[in-house]
């Protein structure tokens, strides 16, 4: 499997071996893509629901269904997003080691060490070189995804609680008890709206960091989420 | 005691025709189908006049004010006549010791049969000193009257969810009725509730002798099953995305949807847009003002009323979730940009390394 790169100019340092590793299986990549599209749609339409903008002019209401369409897109994306998320949880139990649910909790000493490592070299940059690069998620990222999953859950719960007032079908109705607990629908809406900003901030940081790792480590981080392959340097500490 | 509704109407000079009319109206108000009128007639011929106690605690009496403006005067007259309204601070002739005696007698003589209507919340802080009647705290009075009651109705938002007394910081510890008594309570929220809804709930209990169907917050489903928004006549403008942007703009004149002006119709369960107010004349949105959500728990704390979202706690009145969110978003972008710059400076050697490998390959 390993390809040895022949030095083009023998005067330079010794050649480096790279392993090709299949990290992200197809279901994981599909999950990621669907999640990304649905989440962007949800944020955009959600924002518009909270802060509607007039885009069309009409003489009368019957000529338009603009806001209805925005809400429709929100609800359709919401269902897709929720089931996609549920699927990912399932895959955390049957997928490969990089998809396993275990990654997302800093249970082992190694993971906690790794979080510290990423914090100091990549985020705060006290140290310059990280010689223990993870193959799958790095432990800090994985833990952040766990926090993100909690927000997923919060958003699904508040979202379906709001949706239960417009629907009599089984799934949303399972959430209508949330409303009185949270102190009424106005409050549920407030939190549902506020959580949107978590996802916006998450997307900014997540996309930046993906590019950052791709750039600094040169191991195909970005392409891995499309094709599934990452490259691992042989002389690096293999985990 | 012991007179049936029909007997007492006869005594007052009502004809059989009046009585049947009343029964029909009562059935209609209670939301029964026409074929159920016979049942109501039957019930009112046999049933004793129910004794009613109407308690007033921390409230402004707007519920009573609303009640006496019901749109079916026949029903109202007769109901007020029919009910033995044995105790109500606002309307009864008796006062002082006499009034207290009347209350005690009603409880004693109608054990398990009388109906308690409660208007107002009950303060629980500092041993309940903030609302006392005849030297007793509201809470102890409530416990006393509710113990042997056949049914308890909580009138208005105060009794159902605390309303303005319970708004932050709730200095008196105002508490809704259903949290204080261990019997089922019918909540009829609203500030005030719609007169015809109040009438219908009372009539339902009288005519059928049972509670109306309640939702998970103890509200009659019939009237609180849908949001104001679901039956609002401006809903077409909402779906079209045509909104009023300012109180005096062209859109307001055209009657567009008031969502952006803070209308709480989408989060408020009430029958305003169907039953309407003042004999079906109008309701707030029809009069050009957004719904303020007066029948929802904590509506005072979810202000400002003229904004779609409540203010963000702790940041003053001007900040919404969106202003905070935008600021955090900008700060994140700035942080990320700074990180990118620092990376290129601090990690020159690492980057150079990756690049030399790159050269080896070519
Ligand atoms: C990334 C995930 C999501 C984001 C960022 C998001 C964002 C938002 C925002 C900002 C609003 C406007 C709230 C307001 O100001 O009134 C909203 C409304 C709403 N969302 Fe979501 N949402 C998400 C997921 C969901 C999910 C999973 C559901 C489940 C069905 C859902 C259902 C709703 C409903 C029912 C409304 C109220 C819409 C209306 O009344 O027209 N959302 N969402
Ligand atoms: S005016 Fe209020 S209740 Fe009516 S459609 Fe608009 S948001 Fe809904």
């Amino acid at each position: 499997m390993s390809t040895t790169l022949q030095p083009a100019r023998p005067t330079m340092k010794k050649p480096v071996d790279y392993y090709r590793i299949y990290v992200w299986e197809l279901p994981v990549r599909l999950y990621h893509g669907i999640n990304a599209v649905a989440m962007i749609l949800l944020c955009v339409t959600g924002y518009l629901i909270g802060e509607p903008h007039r885009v069309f002019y009409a003489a009368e209401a019957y000529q338009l269904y603009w806001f209805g369409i925005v809400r429709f897109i929100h609800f359709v994306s919401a269902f897709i997003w929720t089931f996609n998320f549920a699927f990912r949880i399932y895959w955390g139990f049957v997928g490969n080691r990089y998809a396993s649910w275990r990654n997302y909790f800093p249970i082992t000493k190694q993971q906690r060490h790794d979080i510290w490592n990423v914090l100091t070299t990549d985020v705060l940059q006290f140290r310059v070189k990280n010689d223990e690069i993870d193959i799958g998620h790095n432990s800090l990222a994985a833990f952040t995804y766990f926090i993100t999953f909690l927000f997923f859950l919060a958003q699904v719960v508040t979202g379906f609680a709001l949706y239960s007032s417009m629907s009599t079908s089984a799934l949303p109705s399972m959430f209508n008890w949330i409303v009185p607990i949270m102190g009424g629908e106005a409050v549920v809406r407030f939190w549902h709206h506020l959580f949107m900003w978590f996802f916006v901030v998450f997307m900014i940081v997540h996309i930046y960091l993906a590019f950052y790792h791709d750039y600094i480590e040169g191991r195909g981080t970005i392409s891995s989420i499309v094709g599934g392959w990452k490259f691992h340097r042989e002389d690096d500490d293999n985990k | 005691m012991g007179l049936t509704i029909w007997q007492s109407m006869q005594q007052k000079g009502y004809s059989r025709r009046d009585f049947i009319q009343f029964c029909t109206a009562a059935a209609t108000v209670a939301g029964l189908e026409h074929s159920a009128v016979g049942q109501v007639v039957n019930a009112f011929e046999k049933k004793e006049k129910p004794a009613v106690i109407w308690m007033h605690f921390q409230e402004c009496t707007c519920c009573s004010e609303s009640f006496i403006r019901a749109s079916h005067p026949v029903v109202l007259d007769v109901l007020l006549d029919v009910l033995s309204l044995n105790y109500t601070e606002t309307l009864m002739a008796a006062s002082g010791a006499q009034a207290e005696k009347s209350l005690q007698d009603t409880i004693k003589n109608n054990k398990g049969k009388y109906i308690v209507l409660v208007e107002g919340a009950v303060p629980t802080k500092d041993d309940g000193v903030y609302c006392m009647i005849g030297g007793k705290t509201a809470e102890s009075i409530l416990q006393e009257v509710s113990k042997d009651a056949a049914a308890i109705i909580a009138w208005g938002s105060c009794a159902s969810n605390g309303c303005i007394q319970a708004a932050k910081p709730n200095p008196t510890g105002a508490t809704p009725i259903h949290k204080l008594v261990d019997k089922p309570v019918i909540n009829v929220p609203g500030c005030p509730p719609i007169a015809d809804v109040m009438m219908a709930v009372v009539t339902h209990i009288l005519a059928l002798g049972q509670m109306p169907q309640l939702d998970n917050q103890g509200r009659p489903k019939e009237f609180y099953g849908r949001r104001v928004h679901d039956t609002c006549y401006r809903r077409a403008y909402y779906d079209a995305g045509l909104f009023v942007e300012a109180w005096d703009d062209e859109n307001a004149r055209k009657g567009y949807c008031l969502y952006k002006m803070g209308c709480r119709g989408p989060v408020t369960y009430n029958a305003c847009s169907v039953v309407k107010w003042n004999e079906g004349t109008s309701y707030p949105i029809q009069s050009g003002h957004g719904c303020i959500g007066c029948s929802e728990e904590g509506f005072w704390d979810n202000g400002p009323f003229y904004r779609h979202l409540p203010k963000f706690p702790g940041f003053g009145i001007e900040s919404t979730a969106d202003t905070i969110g935008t600021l955090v978003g900008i700060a994140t972008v700035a942080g990320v940009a700074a990180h990118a710059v620092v990376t290129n400076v601090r990690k020159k050697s690492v980057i150079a390394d990756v690049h030399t490998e790159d050269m080896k390959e070519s």
Side-chain angles (χ1 to χ4, degrees):
Chain A
M1 275 290 276
S2 81
T3 9
T4 310
L5 298 170
Q6 291 308 317
R9 289 169 218 167
T11 47
M12 299 199 112
K13 282 188 268 174
K14 80 173 180 57
V16 187
D17 282 352
Y18 275 95
Y19 283 102
R20 202 162 80 134
I21 304 168
Y22 191 50
V23 179
W24 312 127
E25 299 155 290
L26 183 63
V28 173
R29 273 138 52 208
L30 274 179
Y31 158 77
H32 181 266
I34 293 170
N35 187 49
V37 172
M39 199 140 110
I40 290 167
L41 283 176
L42 281 165
C43 286
V44 171
T45 53
Y47 180 79
L48 283 174
I49 292 169
E51 195 74 42
H53 291 278
R54 183 175 186 162
V55 284
F56 299 113
Y57 282 80
E60 286 302 335
Y62 68 81
Q63 294 164 317
L64 276 183
Y65 195 63
W66 156 239
F67 203 53
I69 290 167
V70 169
R71 291 173 59 240
F72 180 74
I73 297 173
H74 193 81
F75 304 150
V76 171
S77 321
F79 273 91
I80 294 176
W81 188 70
T82 306
F83 286 114
N84 193 41
F85 172 45
F87 166 78
R88 182 63 184 85
I89 293 175
Y90 162 75
W91 199 257
F93 292 94
V94 300
N96 70 12
R97 53 187 287 214
Y98 306 109
S100 167
W101 62 273
R102 283 187 190 82
N103 292 303
Y104 300 95
F105 304 90
I107 18 186
T108 65
K109 210 169 160 194
Q110 174 63 39
Q111 278 168 318
R112 285 190 293 270
H113 167 76
D114 198 37
I115 288 184
W116 179 245
N117 198 7
V118 175
L119 262 179
T120 48
T121 39
D122 294 317
V123 181
L124 302 173
Q125 307 196 346
F126 293 137
R127 293 192 299 146
V128 170
K129 185 140 170 57
N130 188 357
D131 40 17
E132 296 173 47
I133 297 168
D134 299 75
I135 298 166
H137 295 304
N138 76 53
S139 297
L140 179 63
F143 185 56
T144 319
Y145 299 151
F146 169 65
I147 307 282
T148 314
F149 289 165
L150 294 184
F151 273 92
F152 273 40
L153 219 57
Q155 202 69 334
V156 167
V157 168
T158 51
F160 276 107
L162 285 176
Y163 196 70
S164 68
S165 63
M166 324 172 185
S167 161
T168 48
S169 55
L171 181 63
S173 310
M174 279 158 48
F175 292 88
N176 63 8
W177 55 276
I178 306 285
V179 175
I181 289 182
M182 287 183 74
E185 263 179 45
V187 180
V188 180
R189 249 168 198 272
F190 173 78
W191 287 107
H192 189 73
H193 191 117
L194 192 65
F195 291 154
M196 171 187 74
W197 289 102
F198 170 83
F199 291 95
V200 173
V201 168
F202 170 79
M203 278 190 271
I204 297 170
V205 175
H206 173 75
I207 294 168
Y208 167 74
L209 282 179
F211 278 89
Y212 164 88
H213 284 285
D214 190 274
Y215 175 56
I216 289 292
E217 295 160 7
R219 282 145 207 235
T221 310
I222 294 290
S223 88
S224 76
I225 204 60
V226 182
W229 300 93
K230 270 193 185 177
F231 300 90
H232 196 62
R233 233 165 101 150
E234 205 170 38
D235 61 357
D236 272 346
D237 177 25
N238 242 331
K239 289 198 297 163
Chain B
M1 288 290 124
L3 283 188
T4 69
I5 292 173
W6 166 225
Q7 284 167 337
S8 92
M9 280 181 79
Q10 274 175 309
Q11 274 188 356
K12 294 205 168 86
Y14 286 103
S15 67
R16 179 73 185 173
R17 196 185 184 85
D18 293 330
F19 173 67
I20 300 291
Q21 256 180 12
F22 161 65
C23 292
T24 313
T28 312
V29 166
L32 305 175
E33 68 265 17
H34 193 70
S35 57
V37 173
Q39 228 180 312
V40 176
V41 172
N42 209 357
F44 286 180
E45 276 174 341
K46 302 223 173 79
K47 212 178 272 171
E48 269 182 34
K49 254 166 61 146
V52 173
I53 302 173
W54 185 314
M55 305 307 301
H56 296 253
F57 298 127
Q58 287 181 299
E59 45 88 340
C60 72
T61 318
C62 77
C63 301
S64 303
E65 286 284 346
S66 179
F67 190 74
I68 58 174
R69 281 166 182 71
S71 26
H72 302 282
V74 198
V75 184
L76 182 68
D77 283 355
V78 180
L79 270 184
L80 285 179
D81 276 352
V82 161
L83 299 171
S84 301
L85 199 50
N86 292 8
Y87 181 91
T88 170
E89 281 94 342
T90 6
L91 297 177
M92 66 189 163
S95 65
Q98 269 181 323
E100 291 305 311
K101 181 167 184 307
S102 159
L103 178 63
Q104 293 307 330
D105 288 350
T106 310
I107 298 175
K108 228 185 291 152
N109 301 334
N110 298 280
K111 262 202 168 108
K113 284 190 281 188
Y114 62 95
I115 299 171
V116 176
L117 313 178
V118 186
E119 193 176 341
V122 171
T124 52
K125 244 188 217 161
D126 303 323
D127 299 326
V129 295
Y130 301 111
C131 181
M132 316 244 320
I133 302 158
K136 287 192 255 177
T137 65
E139 191 175 354
S140 63
I141 299 172
L142 176 69
Q143 299 303 357
E144 199 180 336
V145 297
S146 63
K147 203 164 72 171
D148 295 314
I152 304 171
I153 303 180
W155 278 155
S157 291
C158 298
S160 307
N161 55 45
C163 203
I164 195 160
Q165 288 76 222
K168 280 173 196 139
N170 191 357
T172 64
T175 310
I177 304 310
H178 66 91
K179 292 202 177 143
L180 296 171
V181 302
D182 46 15
K183 284 189 176 176
V185 174
I186 304 173
N187 287 327
V188 186
C191 190
I194 304 170
D196 298 312
V197 168
M198 302 172 82
M199 193 62 72
V201 173
V202 176
T203 314
H204 190 109
I205 293 180
L206 290 182
L208 299 182
Q210 66 191 31
M211 290 230 202
Q213 234 195 345
L214 305 180
D215 67 7
N216 63 359
Q217 295 182 50
R219 304 172 297 193
K221 273 193 178 155
E222 219 172 323
F223 303 104
Y224 296 90
R226 280 183 294 182
R227 301 171 300 166
V228 170
H229 183 64
D230 292 329
T231 48
C232 177
Y233 77 107
R234 298 196 187 205
R235 178 61 186 260
Y237 292 107
Y238 170 88
D239 287 330
L242 299 173
F243 301 105
V244 174
E245 311 269 343
W247 289 117
D248 51 0
D249 70 359
E250 175 67 10
N251 302 340
R253 195 187 62 76
K254 284 183 177 155
Y256 284 179
C257 167
L258 295 162
Y259 186 71
K260 289 183 86 170
M261 303 310 291
C263 180
R264 299 287 193 265
V267 291
T268 304
Y269 288 80
N270 210 334
C272 300
S273 42
V274 179
V275 178
K276 301 194 181 172
W277 294 76
N278 301 319
E279 302 181 31
T281 307
S282 181
Y283 70 112
I285 294 163
Q286 193 174 341
S287 312
H289 190 284
C291 166
I292 61 170
C294 76
S295 55
E296 287 294 312
E297 182 181 348
F299 77 98
W300 294 104
D301 295 325
N302 292 332
F305 290 147
Y306 301 116
R307 283 270 186 75
H308 168 62
L309 281 186
K311 64 178 189 295
F312 198 90
F315 284 85
I317 211 123
E318 284 307 312
S319 44
T320 61
D322 281 345
T323 32
I324 307 289
T326 312
L327 287 179
V328 173
I330 292 172
T332 312
V333 172
V336 158
H339 192 269
V341 173
V342 172
T343 299
N344 280 300
V345 177
R346 286 276 292 155
K347 304 220 169 188
K348 244 198 203 125
S349 63
V350 182
I351 297 164
D353 236 25
V354 174
H355 282 242
T356 35
E357 282 171 20
D358 199 37
M359 278 163 61
K360 278 180 246 168
E361 198 176 3
S362 48

